[in-house]
């Protein structure tokens, strides 16, 4: 838990701007950790809508099941997140704990329990001491204020080595709109989506169905395109709240041209947060961008990218600054998608390494080896079949990952 | 390359008994390695049949493509294997190299090139100096003799830390029949089948279609049920040769009752070799047997077992002797197969750890923790859905894996 800050961390932590209609509070409740904040309460003004993307795990946690029901209604007034205990694999008692938290938060916020969203992250299989969370909620609500996003990001950290925040100002129909968000996650990170929690709020006025239509593709191109270890958490939750206080004209639907800038800002903000998660990958020493082109479809390209990004042999080669493109060929081969071995082309750091199924004639490894020694690695792979493309981000696999996971009880 | 012998290695290396109709020769040809044998030539008497299982990789090597054609005919007279260079991703020149080797071996053995099987294992993407293999073939053929299986196993090693051999005596219709075999592989090991080469010979008289029918299920329950790192090689090849010299009565087909003992012996021998591959898993310190029951089908059970066996978080927990069953729950959840979270049950070292979606009441971790410190770990998972079951074998993920793969150019 006292890991040094990742060498890939952003040099500064951004303090996101307040979002009208959102108030935040954090507290050291001693759920598991001592001497640090571990519970976040976010309160949303009446009229707030919500959309979300949840883990596809079949052993998903009680809080995730609770959120799934709330998302069907699409209305939100409060969010409660604790770190240190995932309330996963805790049976009926786990479900009761979620209900206790939602009921208590609802009483505090003056809303229905179904308008309260609950997340828990940390150790699996231990009962959640929910009274440690519910009892302080009224005091936390009284203290809640519009700023404090970095504090919120800190309160939900587990093996994270730095808080992850992002903020953006955009507009809808010429009216300024704010987006601010936080994320956590550094291991058990893979699509669908891995112990990854992310919460984004905006003051845009968007019905839940519009939020859903915007969030799905944005999540696919960000949180569902990153991987640290290929492991999928039982708890991943991405929620997007819209308080509706920006004062812009109503939108007609998800395809309203007035949403173009907002869509771009949302995509960028989620990608920013997702990259921060990869940059905090357990033990990571290099950040890797994998661009796959020439696949049968965009979906096939993403699967190929993830096969490369999840390959232990590719990831250890990158850790060793080894431009071992043979392992990339291997990973393409196992992805389960079409690829033409004899048209396959790979570039590393922009330098052609192989093409047409062969090492590039006169290939000079020196500039590639120099690139591999850097912090940011770019690998481009064209599989020679079609027009599908995707970009995936990952990190290397180092001794640090073993150090962290051979003794952390998560 | 000078790794110490795996702590999980068998205490003795078995010298398999000669198989009538098979002669072996090895030689230090300097393909890549110096100071060690690196080429194996096996000669089979006329009338030998063959069946095989090859990698499913879409970037499979030129030798694998060559073997696929030969398997269609099902006749074999020679096998040539080199270590140090995989002749993969080498374009038309790679194909020429295979043809050169097959032609030279055919001339030596007095057979058609299509009756020669060729494998190469080692670095990907470098041209194979095939003359270093073809020129010595006549001398090797002259030296070939019936014994020397351990020497054969040594000649095909790459990152292996010990030679892998197995032998069995069985009978068909009361007539004694011999099976002897070798394997190599320690990284890039996953179903379908990973840099894993295995060659088994028997003096049974079995048509190629009978061999195929026997080999498929035996491979599924052995080499396709092991994983070290989830990576799939471009070169995996499993070949079963039958020289027909045992003198038993002809069999009527794969379901002939006279084959019962042979089938059992073949299954056992392949499983033995497959376990030896896992026990040589790069950096492995513990051998792990994962028994999955209660799945929708046997196939689903195997997928769940492989999801657990490939999970970096499970494997690092095992490395740390941590009975972290929460990570097992996580891996079951991500397997993409049905499981009932609230009926899931896990036993470690035979001790119930959780049941009905909860930690077992009064769970005492002490005996489980003691088991986790051993060399052989048993994990049983019942997913509470149906009658499907499977057993999968893997090893832990340690610093040794990083050490080996962050600088070996494979």
């Amino acid at each position: 838990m006292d890991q040094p800050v990742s060498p890939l961390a952003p040099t500064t932590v951004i303090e996101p701007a307040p979002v009208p209609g959102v108030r935040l509070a954090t507290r050291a409740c001693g759920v598991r950790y001592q001497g640090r904040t571990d519970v976040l309460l976010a309160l949303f003004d009446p009229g707030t809508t919500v959309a979300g993307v949840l883990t596809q795990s079949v052993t998903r946690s009680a809080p995730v099941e609770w959120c799934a029901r709330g998302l069907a209604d699409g209305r939100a007034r409060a969010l409660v997140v604790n770190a240190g205990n995932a309330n996963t694999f805790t049976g009926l008692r786990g479900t009761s704990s979620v209900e206790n938290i939602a009921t208590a938060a609802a009483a505090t916020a003056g809303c229905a329990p179904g308008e309260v969203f609950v997340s828990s992250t940390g150790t699996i299989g231990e009962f959640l001491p929910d009274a440690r969370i519910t009892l302080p909620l009224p005091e936390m609500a009284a203290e809640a204020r519009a700023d404090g996003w970095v504090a919120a990001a800190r309160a939900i950290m587990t093996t994270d080595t730095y808080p992850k925040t992002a903020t953006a100002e955009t507009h809808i129909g010429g009216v300024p709109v704010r987006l601010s968000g936080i994320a956590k996650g550094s291991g058990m990170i893979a699509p669908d989506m891995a112990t990854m929690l992310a919460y984004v709020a905006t003051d845009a006025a968007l019905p839940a169905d519009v939020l859903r239509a915007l969030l799905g593709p944005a999540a696919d191109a960000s949180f569902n395109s990153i991987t640290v270890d290929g492991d999928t958490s039982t708890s991943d939750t991405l929620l997007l709240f819209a308080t509706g206080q920006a004062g812009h004209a109503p939108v007609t639907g998800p395809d309203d041209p007035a949403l173009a800038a907002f869509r771009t800002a949302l995509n960028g903000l989620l990608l920013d947060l997702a990259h921060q998660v990869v940059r905090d990958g357990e033990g990571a020493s290099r950040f890797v961008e994998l661009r796959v082109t020439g696949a049968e479809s965009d979906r096939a390209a993403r699967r190929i990218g993830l096969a490369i990004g999840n390959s232990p042999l590719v990831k250890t080669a990158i850790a060793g600054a080894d431009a071992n493109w043979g392992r990339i060929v291997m990973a393409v081969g196992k992805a389960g998608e079409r690829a033409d071995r004899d048209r396959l082309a790979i570039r590393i750091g922009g330098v052609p390494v192989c093409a047409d199924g062969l090492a590039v004639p006169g290939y000079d490894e020196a500039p590639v080896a120099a690139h591999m020694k850097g912090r940011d690695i770019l690998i481009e792979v064209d599989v020679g079949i079609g027009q599908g493309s995707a970009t995936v981000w990952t990190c290397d696999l180092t001794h640090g990952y073993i150090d962290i996971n051979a003794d952390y009880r998560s």
Side-chain angles (χ1 to χ4, degrees), chain A:
Chain A
M1 300 308 299
D2 49 356
Q3 295 292 321
V5 172
S6 167
L8 306 177
T11 47
T12 55
V13 176
I14 300 290
E15 177 64 61
V19 176
V22 180
R23 284 173 299 141
L24 306 167
T26 61
R27 199 177 182 99
C29 295
V31 173
R32 178 186 178 90
Y33 305 128
Q34 301 302 320
R36 54 157 279 190
T37 57
D38 59 352
V39 174
L40 163 66
L41 171 68
L43 296 172
F44 306 103
D45 283 358
T48 297
T49 55
V50 62
V53 177
L54 305 172
T55 181
Q56 296 300 306
S57 169
V58 300
T59 54
R60 64 187 188 169
S61 68
V64 169
E65 296 198 324
W66 177 268
C67 287
R69 282 193 291 272
L71 287 172
D73 285 337
R75 292 192 308 272
R77 293 293 309 286
L79 167 71
V80 183
V81 186
N82 76 272
N85 181 317
N87 192 16
T88 294
F89 214 63
T90 42
L92 288 176
R93 190 158 149 192
T95 306
S96 295
S97 290
V98 180
E99 289 169 357
N100 291 345
I101 293 168
T103 304
T108 296
C111 68
E115 294 172 304
V116 177
F117 289 77
V118 179
S119 298
S120 295
T121 177
T123 304
I124 295 177
E126 295 184 5
F127 293 123
L128 182 66
D130 53 78
R132 294 184 202 168
I133 299 169
T134 54
L135 292 177
L137 281 178
E139 278 186 34
M140 292 178 71
E143 294 163 8
R145 48 184 217 185
D147 53 7
W149 285 95
V150 170
R154 283 192 193 283
I156 65 173
M157 285 165 56
T158 55
T159 55
D160 302 66
T161 71
Y162 58 86
K164 298 162 185 71
T165 63
T167 191
E169 185 167 308
T170 178
H171 60 88
I172 296 178
V175 176
V177 168
R178 169 65 54 183
L179 282 154
S180 290
I182 59 175
K184 66 104 8 190
S186 60
M188 221 185 268
I189 298 294
D192 300 323
M193 295 178 319
T195 301
M196 209 287 305
L197 302 179
Y199 309 99
V200 178
T202 176
D203 54 351
L206 299 171
D209 61 336
V210 173
L211 278 185
R212 283 181 206 118
L214 293 169
L215 186 62
D220 277 347
S222 57
F223 289 111
N224 280 336
S225 292
I226 61 172
T227 181
V228 168
D229 53 19
D231 275 338
T232 301
S233 159
T234 50
S235 304
D236 343 315
T237 300
L238 164 61
L239 298 173
L240 171 60
F241 302 94
T243 63
Q245 303 197 358
H248 58 79
V251 300
T252 57
D255 298 323
D256 190 325
L259 282 173
F262 182 85
R263 187 191 312 267
T264 300
L266 175 65
N267 290 353
L269 185 131
L270 291 188
L271 193 57
D272 183 355
L273 289 174
H275 284 182
Q276 290 186 53
V277 169
V278 175
R279 287 184 178 278
D280 206 7
E282 290 171 343
S285 74
R286 302 185 210 284
F287 178 78
V288 185
E289 178 162 324
L290 297 164
R291 296 185 196 154
V292 178
T293 54
E296 195 163 24
S297 65
D298 291 353
R299 183 191 169 86
R302 189 156 61 132
R303 276 192 70 190
I304 293 168
L306 289 171
I308 302 169
N310 277 324
S311 161
L313 287 169
V314 171
K315 292 161 77 81
T316 48
I318 294 171
D322 177 5
N324 192 322
W325 56 272
R327 295 184 185 175
I328 299 171
V329 173
M330 174 281 299
V332 171
K334 75 163 183 170
E337 296 291 344
R338 286 183 61 214
D340 186 337
R341 183 194 68 188
D342 297 328
R343 299 181 70 182
L344 195 62
I346 298 174
R347 297 161 69 99
I348 299 178
V351 179
V353 168
C354 64
D356 298 326
L358 281 176
V360 168
Y363 166 53
D364 174 14
E365 193 167 285
V368 176
H371 177 76
M372 293 297 297
K373 291 197 175 75
R375 290 254 188 252
D376 288 85
I377 308 298
L378 173 62
I379 297 174
E380 297 163 278
V381 179
D382 191 291
V383 300
I385 290 287
Q387 300 299 317
S389 65
T391 303
V392 163
W393 296 269
T394 189
C395 57
D396 55 346
L397 173 58
T398 70
H399 286 292
Y401 185 85
I402 311 285
D403 284 335
I404 294 167
N405 287 299
D407 39 62
Y408 172 66
R409 171 62 66 94
S410 73

